[in-house]
Amino acid sequence: MSEPQENYSAEAEASSTDPHDWGRAMALAVTRLAEQIAPADSEDIHASLVGKDLHLKIRDDSGGVTIVVSTRPASGHSS
């Protein structure tokens, strides 16, 4: 029997609305997510993300966007 999967979410802000400028924010959000999921004694926290389905949401913010990465889709999709 498999254990129930916990849901995690992390976010980071990008100061631009141009997708070409979002790389650092995406990397930071993914790192923050990995820090939540990885065991405390893990030497490679990003290995904990391998094989997981991740969900990406991009929220409009003043002057930029907020990148949200989670292990499950956000409830209530808005267009």
Side-chain angles (χ1 to χ4, degrees):
M1 181 195 256
S2 63
E3 296 179 28
Q5 185 176 9
E6 292 188 51
N7 297 300
Y8 299 91
S9 179
E11 62 183 56
E13 295 176 4
S15 59
S16 170
T17 57
D18 185 345
H20 290 95
D21 298 329
W22 298 348
R24 286 191 176 133
M26 292 187 77
L28 182 55
V30 168
T31 296
R32 288 175 175 169
L33 185 68
E35 289 171 345
Q36 293 175 44
I37 295 171
D41 60 347
S42 179
E43 293 201 15
D44 180 9
I45 63 168
H46 295 97
S48 62
L49 298 175
V50 174
K52 291 205 181 327
D53 291 331
L54 300 181
H55 303 273
L56 175 68
K57 181 170 182 139
I58 300 171
R59 289 194 318 246
D60 197 15
D61 270 339
S62 61
V65 296
T66 297
I67 307 289
V68 181
V69 181
S70 63
T71 55
R72 86 167 199 195
S75 58
H77 298 284
S78 59
S79 299

